[in-house]
Amino acid sequence: QVQLVESGGGLVQPGGSLRLSCAASGIAFSIYDMGWYRQAPGKQRELVAGISSFASGGRTNYADSVKGRFTIWRDNAKNTVYLQMNSLKPEDTAVYFCNSRRLRDDYWGQGTQVTVSS
């Protein structure tokens, strides 16, 4: 059974930082592309950051809105992908979802709420 379990969300003031973690089980983690998505109320889910599999070199990509503020990385030994979020803005408020993808496999976590507010 595949599980993606996110953690690290919460309430933070503008300009603050949070680190999200996504622990995966039930998959050969290193061969999957991993990503963080977010969905704000009334909006479509959008890609925040992605990182390719180990075999593909662990290449990263980011939404323009988070470039220079967010960093994604993965620890294949721990089956975990991280998202460091700095200089948070109110518009970053959303539910953040972890995703793993390979060929026809497409798995999602349950999401973790991030609220940026003073």
Side-chain angles (χ1 to χ4, degrees):
Q1 180 181 359
V2 178
Q3 281 193 313
L4 301 177
V5 180
E6 301 103 332
S7 61
L11 173 65
V12 64
Q13 292 186 341
S17 298
L18 283 175
R19 179 180 294 181
L20 305 183
S21 301
C22 171
S25 60
I27 59 172
F29 180 78
S30 66
I31 67 173
Y32 279 72
D33 296 330
M34 300 298 297
W36 286 98
Y37 288 72
R38 67 186 180 188
Q39 188 166 19
K43 295 188 176 181
Q44 288 190 327
R45 190 172 297 190
E46 62 174 355
L47 175 67
V48 176
I51 184 166
S52 66
S53 66
F54 174 77
S56 297
R59 294 187 303 271
T60 59
N61 62 287
Y62 297 92
D64 287 343
S65 59
V66 307
K67 282 180 181 176
R69 300 189 298 122
F70 290 12
T71 303
I72 186 172
W73 74 99
R74 63 193 297 163
D75 186 335
N76 292 320
K78 295 183 178 180
N79 289 359
T80 301
V81 61
Y82 303 92
L83 184 69
Q84 178 68 40
M85 306 186 293
N86 298 330
S87 302
L88 283 161
K89 305 175 181 180
E91 50 264 43
D92 295 317
T93 295
V95 178
Y96 283 70
F97 297 90
C98 178
N99 173 259
S100 64
R101 190 169 297 170
R102 178 180 180 268
L103 301 177
R104 295 181 181 178
D105 291 345
D106 190 8
Y107 303 112
W108 293 89
Q110 81 287 351
T112 185
Q113 177 70 46
V114 171
T115 302
V116 185
S117 175
S118 55

